[in-house]
Amino acid sequence: MKENLIAMIKDINPQCDVDLIDRAYHFAENAHEGQFRKSGEPYFIHPVEVAKILIELKLDSSTVAAALLHDVIEDTEYSFEEIKQHFGEEIAVLVEGVTKLTRMSFESKEERQAENLRKMFVAMAKDIRVILIKLADRLHNMRTLKYQSDEKKKEKAMETLEIYAPIAHRLGISKVKWELEDLCLRYIDPEGYYDLVERVAIKRKDREMFINQVINSLHEKLDEFSIEGEISGRPKHFYSIYRKMVYQGKSFDEIFDFLAVRVIVDNIKDCYGVLGVVHTMWKPIPGRFKDYIAMPKPNMYQSIHTTVIGPKGEPVEIQIRTHEMHQISEYGIAAHWKYKEGKTTDNPKKLGDKLTWVGQMLELEKETKDPKEFMESLKVDLLTNEVFVFTPKGEVINLPTGSTPIDFAYRIHSDIGNKCVGSKIDGRIVPLDYKLKNGNIVEILTSSNSNGPSRDWLKIVKSSQAKNKIRQWFKKERREENIDKGQEILEREIRRQGLQQPEVAQTKLLNTIAKRLGLNSEVDLYAAVGYGGITLSQILPKIREVIKKENVKKETVAELMEKDVAPQEKPQENKEKNKKNKQGQGVSVKGIDSIMVRFARCCNPVPGDDIVGYITRGRGVSVHLKDCPNLMSTIESIDRLIEVNWDTTKPRSFQAEIQIRAYDKKGLLSEITKVITESKITVNALNARTNKEKLAVLNLTVEIDDINQLDKIMQKFRGMKEVLDVHRVTT
């Protein structure tokens, strides 16, 4: 397997660092030893296949090495610092950029997905190779998706179609985009996919004969004009055909994608020469001509497209481009971002211009607090088709289809948008809700006396960028108005829902909710509601949750402090037991030789934790974590705290609780049990359930010697592929 990989990269990139690839290969192979994919194959096959995809995209040695290592931080015990130590900071940063946030706890699936994407966009902004590795990772996972459950297949296919295929399109990597889309279709609509495959197969022979006739005729004509060119049939992509049938209501026979020819020539002059030849041979269909050479797409794609009535009256699409344009069409940003052992072959500023949308995605995330809203806005910005319009100076601006002059104004500059009072399209005044069309020349009319944007604009604009800029204006310019409006809206809804609290309690409650939403205070919460930055649907469930928790707390925390300790032994029963309850429990109390010592069940401290003692009424000293929430929030007097220390001379076992969240799959419990058995630890209690997100949640109470032993078993659980999160339960 390694020899094949090395031979492949030597063939495509002779300047590669073979020693680096070899070291990364062996490091990753050892790190993933004993891990297996759902197919039953060794897990290490996956990073090798990801590396091969990137070699095909002609990426550099560092990217290929990072691809081999891309799951090491996430799925093994190795850390960022260890990768950095072995392979340097550049490769470590790439690996870290691809690593998901599996060790953090999130309130919802949307929050986890949004945070992972935010992390990815931040890493992309620093080094575009992060997303190239991620796309290769997703492509191989899609190629092997058949081993997942039906529910998982559809979930992954939808996420890929909504996020990763559009990112590949934005980067111009059609080679990856088309394959991702076809693989997604197979799992989203299997019946439609296989029906389409069958229909295309039935017409294959007739189609090939027709295409060959077009190619031969075109070759003869180009020879007459001494134009050299490679002519071939263009590959058919099932998702493109399917989308036109479903979303454009076209019949199978109306789609021109079946009958398509590509002509590749040496220079731009020959591109237009071929176009002239084609149009003299066959009649062009009006409205089916596009010149992406004169006006390239934002993803760098360049080509001439024309559809003509070919032989026998059949429509045929012809694409004309140079060899360099073809490379960019296939490999997109990867064709420009070729690293020569740390040096790029393209101008960094030009590359930055091509990736401005990454910054827009980051800006969108900062302005959108609700993860669900962020995901929806992201899908709109990535998925929506684009419209290309011109500034009066001839600069091309691309916007989502359905955009208005207001979207255009905010794309130019925030001040232009805020002072916009009207617009002209092709020299003619139009209303601000006019839907822009390809080729429009847009002029924005502004006034220094403008009162600023209207709230109605939020219903008119299409782009997330414009919406965020409008909200920012209201947030900054009309804070007092927003506070009053937000307070009125929120308090009216609180009363209507029966969630009204006493004034002091309500202020405390809303301050708590504000902090959960990333705001500083109750006033900021009112302002955010007033300008539309936060919706009632984000706030009310959190209010109900906090009130419910408060109502459940029937005992005071002081009572909990007294009760939340291990059961008391009866000293009279056994003198040895009595000794254990005193200084034989692994903890010594400063300045006291003989006193009852117990461990608080609210935080379950174990050796290695920072601890403190709390003198209870008649029940000795209760040992807590120093940062135990119960202890910190409820202690009546500082005089009841006492210094305690771990006594390692008297070894004993301690109980600790671990919570595991994982994908619910057959055999999960047995795999967890296997890890426990191999670790030689005792489990005193196990509780397993499925939560509302269809994830398995397991709580284990284990006996351990110290914090190091606990960390090791938790690390092993994190190394399991199905496990999303492992944490210690301390309160």
Side-chain angles (χ1 to χ4, degrees):
M1 192 159 62
K2 185 184 80 172
E3 290 72 18
N4 182 29
L5 186 77
I6 297 295
M8 188 177 177
I9 195 169
K10 275 184 176 180
D11 180 52
I12 293 173
N13 181 9
Q15 295 181 335
C16 74
D17 186 343
V18 175
D19 177 61
L20 174 65
I21 304 297
D22 186 66
R23 287 191 296 115
Y25 184 97
H26 288 294
F27 189 95
E29 186 178 34
N30 292 332
H32 290 296
E33 188 177 2
Q35 295 179 345
F36 296 90
R37 303 197 87 208
K38 289 190 182 296
S39 62
E41 298 172 315
Y43 185 81
F44 183 56
I45 286 175
H46 170 65
V48 171
E49 291 301 317
V50 171
K52 285 181 179 178
I53 292 168
L54 291 166
I55 292 170
E56 289 172 359
L57 289 175
K58 305 181 181 180
L59 269 297
D60 64 303
S61 307
S62 295
T63 311
V64 175
L68 289 166
L69 299 163
H70 81 273
D71 274 335
V72 168
I73 295 177
E74 185 176 326
D75 293 336
T76 76
E77 295 182 2
Y78 289 100
S79 66
F80 170 84
E81 290 300 326
E82 288 170 300
I83 300 293
K84 182 179 174 181
Q85 182 182 346
H86 284 86
F87 298 98
E89 187 168 5
E90 179 190 14
I91 290 175
V93 168
L94 288 174
V95 175
E96 175 69 12
V98 182
T99 302
K100 295 197 295 290
L101 304 169
T102 51
R103 298 176 190 179
M104 289 180 66
S105 180
F106 298 97
E107 291 185 6
S108 67
K109 178 183 168 184
E110 285 88 0
E111 187 178 344
R112 175 180 291 278
Q113 190 181 30
E115 189 59 25
N116 277 319
L117 286 168
R118 185 201 68 80
K119 179 177 181 286
M120 187 175 74
F121 284 130
V122 169
M124 279 171 64
K126 294 176 182 174
D127 195 326
I128 192 60
R129 292 175 294 175
V130 168
I131 191 58
L132 299 179
I133 298 170
K134 186 63 187 174
L135 287 172
D137 171 59
R138 179 52 63 106
L139 179 55
H140 184 250
N141 281 333
M142 289 301 299
R143 286 174 179 174
T144 55
L145 198 61
K146 63 183 178 183
Y147 298 105
Q148 299 281 0
S149 66
D150 289 343
E151 184 181 354
K152 193 73 178 174
K153 286 176 191 172
K154 189 164 273 193
E155 179 189 328
K156 284 291 178 190
M158 285 303 300
E159 181 185 56
T160 302
L161 195 61
E162 292 176 343
I163 304 295
Y164 292 100
I167 287 176
H169 172 66
R170 284 291 186 110
L171 295 172
I173 314 172
S174 59
K175 187 179 177 69
V176 172
K177 172 187 181 274
W178 290 119
E179 187 177 353
L180 283 175
E181 289 180 338
D182 284 354
L183 288 167
C184 290
L185 179 59
R186 185 190 301 178
Y187 297 110
I188 291 170
D189 184 2
E191 189 177 329
Y193 174 81
Y194 288 109
D195 175 61
L196 188 55
V197 170
E198 188 178 343
R199 286 202 204 184
V200 171
I202 290 169
K203 279 200 164 191
R204 180 176 291 124
K205 190 173 180 181
D206 291 340
R207 189 176 63 251
E208 287 176 353
M209 286 177 62
F210 178 82
I211 290 296
N212 286 334
Q213 185 181 348
V214 172
I215 290 172
N216 292 333
S217 299
L218 193 49
H219 257 307
E220 290 175 12
K221 203 71 173 172
L222 291 181
D223 287 342
E224 286 181 26
F225 287 89
S226 300
I227 299 175
E228 291 185 10
E230 297 174 14
I231 309 174
S232 61
R234 187 168 66 83
K236 272 66 59 186
H237 302 289
F238 297 116
Y239 182 73
S240 172
I241 300 168
Y242 175 88
R243 186 180 175 118
K244 287 174 182 174
M245 290 172 65
V246 172
Y247 297 107
Q248 295 180 20
K250 293 187 175 180
S251 70
F252 184 73
D253 295 322
E254 287 179 303
I255 296 171
F256 303 138
D257 294 59
F258 300 116
L259 307 173
V261 169
R262 179 175 293 147
V263 184
I264 302 176
V265 294
D266 293 332
N267 54 59
I268 293 176
K269 183 181 115 179
D270 284 348
C271 286
Y272 290 101
V274 172
L275 177 66
V277 170
V278 168
H279 283 183
T280 58
M281 292 175 68
W282 302 293
K283 244 180 212 182
I285 297 177
R288 295 286 303 172
F289 171 74
K290 292 174 184 172
D291 187 349
Y292 294 119
I293 293 179
M295 197 167 71
K297 289 186 177 183
N299 65 3
M300 302 165 294
Y301 178 85
Q302 286 185 287
S303 188
I304 292 172
H305 293 193
T306 185
T307 303
V308 296
I309 302 297
K312 301 177 185 176
E314 290 280 352
V316 56
E317 183 186 63
I318 296 175
Q319 296 181 353
I320 310 162
R321 62 181 68 148
T322 66
H323 291 282
E324 184 183 355
M325 290 172 190
H326 183 62
Q327 284 292 306
I328 294 170
S329 163
E330 293 288 297
Y331 302 108
I333 196 78
H336 282 260
W337 201 283
K338 290 179 182 174
Y339 283 74
K340 301 294 184 185
E341 308 315 325
K343 296 178 182 177
T344 70
T345 61
D346 206 344
N347 184 311
K349 184 177 186 309
K350 285 184 183 177
L351 286 170
D353 292 342
K354 291 160 189 167
L355 296 171
T356 52
W357 63 274
V358 177
Q360 290 169 10
M361 296 300 102
L362 284 173
E363 187 180 335
L364 169 65
E365 193 280 332
K366 286 176 187 174
E367 294 299 323
T368 311
K369 299 294 182 185
D370 182 12
K372 190 170 182 180
E373 185 185 347
F374 169 65
M375 291 307 302
E376 289 304 315
S377 298
L378 182 66
K379 289 170 190 176
V380 167
D381 281 3
L382 284 177
L383 271 176
T384 309
N385 288 328
E386 293 172 308
V387 60
F388 300 91
V389 295
F390 294 95
T391 67
K393 292 183 179 179
E395 182 185 350
V396 179
I397 302 292
N398 62 298
L399 293 162
T401 300
S403 291
T404 65
I406 303 172
D407 291 282
F408 177 91
Y410 279 104
R411 176 60 60 85
I412 300 300
H413 198 280
S414 300
D415 287 344
I416 302 294
N418 292 337
K419 294 176 182 178
C420 172
V421 292
S423 65
K424 285 184 179 180
I425 303 295
D426 302 331
R428 182 171 55 89
I429 291 179
V430 297
L432 289 175
D433 61 357
Y434 171 87
K435 298 288 187 290
L436 299 176
K437 298 179 177 62
N438 279 322
N440 281 158
I441 299 173
V442 186
E443 182 182 352
I444 300 299
L445 307 176
T446 61
S447 169
S448 56
N449 297 322
S450 165
N451 292 325
S454 160
R455 291 188 188 275
D456 291 335
W457 287 9
L458 289 169
K459 300 172 187 175
I460 296 172
V461 295
K462 182 72 175 178
S463 63
S464 301
Q465 183 190 30
K467 288 180 181 177
N468 286 325
K469 296 292 184 187
I470 294 167
R471 286 175 182 150
Q472 281 178 22
W473 187 88
F474 281 109
K475 177 181 179 181
K476 182 180 177 182
E477 300 295 327
R478 299 191 177 176
R479 181 170 170 80
E480 294 304 319
E481 179 187 325
N482 291 330
I483 292 170
D484 292 342
K485 184 175 181 181
Q487 183 171 6
E488 180 188 343
I489 291 170
L490 185 54
E491 290 189 345
R492 182 173 64 239
E493 192 61 22
I494 286 174
R495 285 194 300 273
R496 196 177 73 80
Q497 302 260 357
L499 301 173
Q500 189 78 9
Q501 301 285 305
E503 187 176 343
V504 175
Q506 183 152 311
T507 297
K508 183 180 177 182
L509 173 69
L510 292 179
N511 277 322
T512 301
I513 302 301
K515 285 180 171 58
R516 283 195 184 186
L517 292 167
L519 302 169
N520 293 324
S521 67
E522 171 193 21
V523 174
D524 290 334
L525 183 66
Y526 288 143
V529 173
Y531 72 79
I534 290 177
T535 62
L536 292 174
S537 61
Q538 291 173 251
I539 300 171
L540 295 173
K542 288 182 170 60
I543 292 177
R544 291 192 191 93
E545 180 189 338
V546 173
I547 291 174
K548 184 178 178 182
K549 282 183 180 177
E550 290 298 322
N551 290 339
V552 168
K553 280 187 174 183
K554 293 183 180 176
E555 295 176 294
T556 66
V557 186
E559 288 172 330
L560 286 172
M561 296 291 293
E562 301 292 337
K563 292 183 179 182
D564 195 14
V565 293
Q568 187 174 6
E569 302 276 2
K570 293 183 179 178
Q572 298 85 353
E573 283 185 2
N574 191 307
K575 288 183 180 178
E576 289 302 315
K577 286 185 179 179
N578 202 26
K579 285 179 186 176
K580 286 182 184 179
N581 279 337
K582 295 179 183 178
Q583 295 290 68
Q585 291 213 8
V587 168
S588 61
V589 181
K590 186 177 181 180
I592 303 176
D593 293 330
S594 180
I595 190 170
M596 190 82 70
V597 176
R598 299 175 181 276
F599 295 96
R601 282 196 296 241
C602 59
C603 54
N604 291 320
V606 298
D609 287 330
D610 290 332
I611 52 175
V612 67
Y614 176 77
I615 303 171
T616 65
R617 296 187 181 93
R619 297 170 67 85
V621 172
S622 170
V623 179
H624 289 259
L625 293 174
K626 272 190 177 177
D627 58 357
C628 172
N630 282 347
L631 185 74
M632 301 304 292
S633 62
T634 61
I635 291 176
E636 300 161 0
S637 169
I638 197 73
D639 296 335
R640 295 183 71 178
L641 292 180
I642 190 167
E643 184 180 335
V644 294
N645 296 290
W646 294 108
D647 184 359
T648 54
T649 62
K650 302 183 178 84
R652 57 156 287 174
S653 61
F654 294 80
Q655 287 195 355
E657 187 178 352
I658 300 169
Q659 185 175 95
I660 301 170
R661 291 172 70 248
Y663 291 118
D664 193 10
K665 68 149 201 168
K666 191 175 180 181
L668 175 65
L669 193 56
S670 65
E671 289 181 21
I672 288 174
T673 306
K674 183 181 175 184
V675 172
I676 292 167
T677 305
E678 289 173 353
S679 302
K680 297 180 181 177
I681 64 168
T682 302
V683 176
N684 291 335
L686 188 152
N687 176 273
R689 64 191 185 281
T690 303
N691 66 11
K692 63 183 180 182
E693 297 173 10
K694 307 286 187 188
L695 294 176
V697 181
L698 298 94
N699 282 61
L700 307 173
T701 303
V702 297
E703 281 192 16
I704 48 103
D705 296 330
D706 54 32
I707 193 73
N708 292 329
Q709 190 179 14
L710 181 63
D711 286 341
K712 283 179 182 176
I713 184 66
M714 289 172 68
Q715 192 65 39
K716 286 183 179 179
F717 287 136
R718 290 189 183 112
M720 295 173 63
K721 188 65 179 174
E722 295 77 13
V723 171
L724 296 170
D725 176 61
V726 181
H727 66 271
R728 178 180 170 193
V729 180
T730 57
T731 185

